[in-house]
Amino acid sequence: MPTEVALLESRALRVEQMGRVDALDKVKSLVMLPDGIHVRTEDVARYFEVSTEVVKKVTQRHRAEMEENGLRLLRGSDLRTFNRDMVSLLDAGQGESYPQAHAQLTLYTRRTVLNVAMLLRDSDIARCVRTYLLDAEQDLRAGYASLEHRVTRVESCLAGVGTALQELGPVLNRMSLRLDSLDRRLERTHQVVGAVSVRLGGVSEDVVRLDGRMDELARNLKDLSRRNRNRRGVLES
């Protein structure tokens, strides 16, 4: 885990922390300009409770690094445009006064202010910001360690599952073969049932024809019986 001294001395370590601008408001509220994006040198000094000269010296020594993190120097038309925009924003709000720079204006973003916090040695606020960053990183590393341990446990469990699946493979193969055999037997049974159904259809037709013939025979017997009775009646008379 990096130390506060390492953070002060190593630009690479500072780069790793540049996304943690939330650390600023965790320690102290940073009052922004009306655009909600920038602050001036005096605003940075007020935040860290140091003089503007201290902030300027840190900025001069590490200007290239800070410019990579949003430091801007406005002059001429750019400065006039910026001042006009700030006045417009204030007029749209509560109408507070905005002190305009005469020749130039240095602007800091939240990333730049965080950059100052990791470079400014003689400020209790800056030290608190660094401490917050380091503590948060320690908690994050602990979380990663815990997660890595849990992943390791899951991997070990998966290894056991893999072995079980290898042992289960032959059993599943045998079950698949038996199911295939059962499917073939069922198919043959369906074929036999289909053939029986066809034969039963033919038997049904035969039964219908037989019923017709039986009805016809019954009618013939009735006619024969009636004729016999008529003959006996004639003979007796």
Side-chain angles (χ1 to χ4, degrees):
M1 174 184 171
T3 63
E4 184 178 356
V5 174
L7 198 60
L8 287 165
E9 300 295 337
S10 173
R11 182 172 177 176
L13 291 178
R14 292 194 294 272
V15 170
E16 292 179 1
Q17 300 294 333
M18 271 306 151
R20 302 297 312 279
V21 293
D22 60 301
L24 298 172
D25 290 322
K26 295 292 184 180
V27 175
K28 183 180 177 181
S29 178
L30 178 62
V31 180
M32 311 297 293
L33 290 177
D35 64 351
I37 299 174
H38 299 98
V39 292
R40 301 162 301 175
T41 304
E42 51 265 41
D43 300 320
V44 178
R46 189 178 301 113
Y47 176 83
F48 290 113
E49 300 177 1
V50 296
S51 67
T52 56
E53 292 303 318
V54 171
V55 176
K56 288 178 180 179
K57 288 179 181 179
V58 172
T59 302
Q60 290 170 359
R61 286 197 300 266
H62 302 277
R63 192 171 194 86
E65 179 179 344
M66 291 191 182
E67 286 178 347
E68 291 181 1
N69 291 302
L71 184 72
R72 296 174 61 195
L73 180 63
L74 299 183
R75 294 189 182 94
S77 61
D78 290 337
L79 178 56
R80 289 192 295 272
T81 300
F82 182 82
N83 287 334
R84 188 164 52 249
D85 291 342
M86 293 303 100
V87 172
S88 298
L89 289 171
L90 285 173
D91 288 342
Q94 299 179 356
E96 299 177 359
S97 61
Y98 169 70
Q100 301 183 28
H102 295 291
Q104 62 183 31
L105 176 64
T106 302
L107 293 177
Y108 299 73
T109 64
R110 284 182 174 272
R111 286 174 64 91
T112 324
V113 177
L114 183 62
N115 204 161
V116 173
M118 290 187 284
L119 291 167
L120 193 56
R121 297 176 182 269
D122 300 326
S123 168
D124 290 336
I125 301 299
R127 278 192 288 270
C128 289
V129 173
R130 291 193 293 271
T131 299
Y132 180 86
L133 290 173
L134 296 173
D135 289 345
E137 182 172 351
Q138 184 177 9
D139 293 341
L140 185 62
R141 289 177 182 270
Y144 282 152
S146 175
L147 179 61
E148 184 177 2
H149 177 67
R150 292 166 63 185
V151 170
T152 301
R153 290 180 57 187
V154 170
E155 288 176 345
S156 63
C157 292
L158 289 176
V161 170
T163 302
L165 290 176
Q166 290 178 352
E167 296 175 352
L168 187 60
V171 177
L172 293 175
N173 186 49
R174 290 194 295 272
M175 290 181 62
S176 177
L177 293 175
R178 294 180 64 183
L179 289 173
D180 290 341
S181 176
L182 181 60
D183 285 341
R184 290 192 294 271
R185 293 173 62 184
L186 286 173
E187 181 63 24
R188 288 195 295 270
T189 301
H190 289 158
Q191 293 174 356
V192 171
V193 170
V196 170
S197 177
V198 172
R199 295 183 62 183
L200 287 176
V203 170
S204 177
E205 294 175 357
D206 292 341
V207 169
V208 170
R209 288 194 296 272
L210 182 59
D211 285 343
R213 295 178 64 183
M214 292 294 293
D215 292 340
E216 183 180 0
L217 179 60
R219 288 193 298 272
N220 292 334
L221 289 174
K222 287 181 180 180
D223 291 341
L224 180 60
S225 176
R226 187 171 56 255
R227 286 197 297 272
N228 287 336
R229 285 196 301 272
N230 292 336
R231 287 176 183 174
R232 285 197 297 269
V234 170
L235 294 175
E236 290 176 356
S237 60

